[in-house]
Amino acid sequence: MGVGSDEALFQSLLRLGDNTLVLGHRLSEWCGHAPALEEDIALANTALDLMGQTRHWLSLAGEIEGKGRSEDDLAMLRDVWDFRNVLLVEQPNRDYGHTLMRQFLFDHFHLLMLRGLSESSEARVAEIAIKSVKEVTYHAERSAELIIALGDGTDESHRRMQDALDWLFPYVGEMFETDAIDTEIAAKGIAPLPADLRPAFDAQLGAILDEATLTMPSDAFAHKGGRTGFRHTEHLGHMLASMQWLQRAYPGAQW
Amino acid sequence: MGMDAPTNEKPEWPLWEVFIRGQHGMSHRHFGSLHAPNAEMAIKAARDVYTRRKEGVSIWVVPANEITASSPSDKGPLYEPAEDKVYRHPSFYKIPDDIGAM
């Protein structure tokens, strides 16, 4: 495939930073709209954690790329086709059940990935992961608790959570997709192979969904194309339009 | 944003009183109150609402309806008798500095 080593690391860092950027922005869309004040603040905290992680990943990505692009340049001045986040995180918030289910599915992947990255042979990557893993441990605990409470809650909450799971499950597979970039990065001990994280994810997901009385969909079909940038869903462009408009309309604006 | 119309019946979550012990605090202090469906979620909500700026190292939550409060109308008989008994205040001797927190 001819990916140079810096290019592979750059792409891997974009995958990490774009996941947290896009999901962080999605969560921030709830700010002031969540169903309870306590949930509003909790989601905003999670969004801020993810934004903080984004800053680390994207500024390191810019450094590795070596073209003088800052974290802000990468976040605000790339268009859809240059984003490398998985399709799951760009899915719209829909209702609160969908938002929580999306968070739950991502958190448990994210936690496993960060634990692996904490032992990275690349010191700068390990450092970011070690800091992030504490935040994400809390995210994963919180989302699991809510999935259990709502799945095993009222008829309506159960139905909404099962709908959300059925809707979002086809976006799970992409998180564990493994290509030449992942293989190269894993061979150097920089990051775990995503595919290797799947068994632990499935076990954890199964246990929590059981407790939540939710049924894991059996269809293994997976939408793909986000982390390669090959084909994002139509939702990302709309999200970027609202996220990036200020830097696009007033380049270099600061306050 | 919601996919279904909200139902009219919307039972509120119970109210919890939140007590937090600060970094250097010796005891938990009342910080405020919040709504949560159960004690575990109340702890998490308290963490998110009240410890964002490193305010605490320990959280207690107590169902607000489990707290028995004194009646404001009993103020006279409860507290006024202490007003003229200054000798009850430990202010007539000096506490040495090296004794630390009491």
Side-chain angles (χ1 to χ4, degrees), chain B residues 20-25 28 51 54-59:
Chain B
I20 291 177
R21 185 160 72 80
Q23 302 265 4
H24 307 291
H28 289 71
T51 68
K54 295 179 69 172
E55 289 92 338
V57 292
S58 171
I59 300 173

Side-chain angles (χ1 to χ4, degrees), chain A residues 29-30 33 35-36 38-39 41-42 44-45 48-49 93-95 98 138 141-142 145-146 156 159-160, chain B residues 1-7 10 13 33-38 40-45 47-49 52:
Chain A
E29 292 171 356
W30 273 106
H33 301 278
E38 291 80 359
E39 283 298 303
I41 294 176
N45 278 350
L48 284 170
D49 286 347
N93 290 335
R94 300 180 189 279
D95 64 11
H98 276 252
Y138 180 76
E141 250 180 61
R142 205 187 96 83
E145 207 165 295
L146 284 162
E156 185 186 357
R159 174 181 61 76
R160 282 172 178 259
Chain B
M1 196 163 281
M3 304 215 307
D4 294 307
T7 52
K10 217 178 165 192
W13 291 334
S33 52
L34 47 78
H35 290 93
N38 58 40
E40 289 72 33
M41 290 307 295
I43 290 271
K44 285 204 162 58
R47 181 264 190 194
D48 283 325
V49 175
R52 307 180 72 221

Side-chain angles (χ1 to χ4, degrees), chain A residues 191-228:
Chain A
L193 269 188
D196 289 348
L197 305 174
R198 187 74 199 248
F201 176 86
D202 283 343
Q204 216 151 19
L205 202 71
I208 295 166
L209 290 180
D210 271 355
E211 209 179 322
T213 71
L214 296 172
T215 310
M216 180 141 37
S218 52
D219 191 349
F221 171 76
H223 293 289
K224 289 175 184 172
R227 70 197 300 278
T228 58

